[in-house]
Amino acid sequence: MKTAICPGSFDPVTMGHLDIIRRAARMFDHVVVAIMVNPEKKPSFTLEERISLLCRAAADIPNIEVVGFDGLLADYARQREAAAIVKGLRAVSDFEYEFQMALTNKKLNPELETMFLATSAENMFLSSSMVKQVAGFGGDISPFVPACVLKTIQDRLCGRA
């Protein structure tokens, strides 16, 4: 069974994230969506909330597992016997950072490959940061996040929770 890991902070989950996860799920037998704890970021949602949001948003994808994760991705991939990391790229600006991370992970875990999926054209501009900014100003984020988690995200980001 070929396993891949889709890592990210998913704060909050967006339609772009779901697009990459769905596509990875078509290529691999099992996809671990690893919601990472980044000590350099102050998330809007707790790790538990992000896991819950993603589980709800991806409930229709049968071969994924959503987990929280803290530590080196290369080590976690080894523990999970993952063959690959799958990352989405929106623009050339994403590539430099992601390429550096891919080389680092490969050095730490020589058996691990990194696959880059080009983001669908309709999601090229989309990021969790953009969703937070639009929501913070009271804008409509419904085209950017899954409908099943929209209210929860709006309540938090619009200061209603």
Side-chain angles (χ1 to χ4, degrees):
M1 179 166 75
K2 289 285 185 188
T3 298
I5 298 178
C6 281
S9 57
F10 304 100
D11 186 45
V13 61
T14 69
M15 298 303 286
H17 293 136
L18 277 183
D19 174 53
I20 297 297
I21 293 166
R22 283 184 202 290
R23 290 164 54 201
R26 288 195 300 265
M27 291 186 272
F28 291 90
D29 300 314
H30 184 69
V31 175
V32 178
V33 181
I35 302 178
M36 303 181 77
V37 175
N38 184 340
E40 296 177 10
K41 291 184 177 180
K42 180 161 178 11
S44 298
F45 296 88
T46 68
L47 178 61
E48 294 75 20
E49 288 170 330
R50 288 180 279 155
I51 291 170
S52 174
L53 288 170
L54 228 155
C55 284
R56 288 166 45 201
D60 65 324
I61 309 171
N63 60 327
I64 71 160
E65 172 187 3
V66 180
V67 299
F69 163 73
D70 186 13
L72 286 174
L73 182 57
D75 290 342
Y76 185 67
R78 187 179 292 111
Q79 290 171 349
R80 297 304 305 259
E81 299 180 358
I85 295 169
V86 177
K87 295 291 290 189
L89 295 178
R90 292 174 297 211
V92 174
S93 58
D94 286 346
F95 179 76
E96 187 174 347
Y97 173 78
E98 295 296 350
F99 186 62
Q100 182 181 26
M101 294 306 301
L103 293 174
T104 301
N105 286 324
K106 185 72 168 171
K107 189 71 167 177
L108 295 171
N109 181 347
E111 302 301 312
L112 186 62
E113 298 295 339
T114 298
M115 290 180 54
F116 298 116
L117 294 180
T119 302
S120 299
E122 64 268 16
N123 296 317
M124 284 187 70
F125 67 94
L126 190 52
S127 70
S128 293
S129 298
M130 186 275 305
V131 169
K132 290 180 200 181
Q133 187 172 20
V134 171
F137 285 105
D140 179 15
I141 60 168
S142 63
F144 311 136
V145 301
C148 62
V149 295
L150 174 63
K151 182 172 179 353
T152 303
I153 293 172
Q154 283 176 321
D155 286 350
R156 174 65 50 83
L157 298 180
C158 297
R160 295 185 289 216

